[in-house]
Amino acid sequence: SPPMAIPIITVIVTLLPSLARGRMGLHAGTYRPHLVVDGDGAVDEHYMGVAFVGGPQALAPGESAEVRLALVYFPNVDYRSLQAGCTFSIREGGTTVGHGTVVLADALQ
């Protein structure tokens, strides 16, 4: 059987201005952080690996943009909490580097 397609979702993200400490921002195609959905109250946060695959080629600290994210570990990671309207933080390890809102998640229906 053919390999499963990697789902793509559309989000609006904002990088924290405090990232400006020597960092140039992120670059589509090479940036692979984790998302953590806000407000689930879980003691063990659910880190979901993603890859930025569409949107501006670069995003500087403090900027916002609509981007497309590939859910790169699907189906081995449960991404169903990334529904339209949900908010999330963008993490690099334990550091929060930005936040966002899911705009379109039809791939997860």
Side-chain angles (χ1 to χ4, degrees):
S1 66
M4 292 180 75
I6 294 175
I8 305 288
I9 64 171
T10 302
V11 300
I12 295 176
V13 297
T14 302
L15 293 185
L16 297 179
S18 60
L19 290 183
R21 303 181 304 268
R23 169 191 274 247
M24 300 308 295
L26 62 86
H27 297 276
T30 59
Y31 189 56
R32 294 174 70 115
H34 288 91
L35 304 186
V36 175
V37 172
D38 294 340
D40 65 5
V43 174
D44 294 322
E45 293 179 315
H46 182 56
Y47 277 60
M48 295 172 277
V50 297
F52 280 62
V53 296
Q57 278 308 109
L59 192 61
E63 288 186 330
S64 297
E66 184 173 288
V67 298
R68 290 166 44 90
L69 302 178
L71 309 181
V72 292
Y73 299 110
F74 179 86
N76 299 321
V77 169
D78 183 358
Y79 291 96
R80 288 177 297 180
S81 59
L82 292 173
Q83 295 298 320
C86 88
T87 58
F88 56 85
S89 59
I90 304 169
R91 305 277 180 89
E92 292 176 4
T95 303
T96 298
V97 297
H99 55 85
T101 302
V102 176
V103 176
L104 186 64
D106 289 349
L108 296 177
Q109 301 307 317

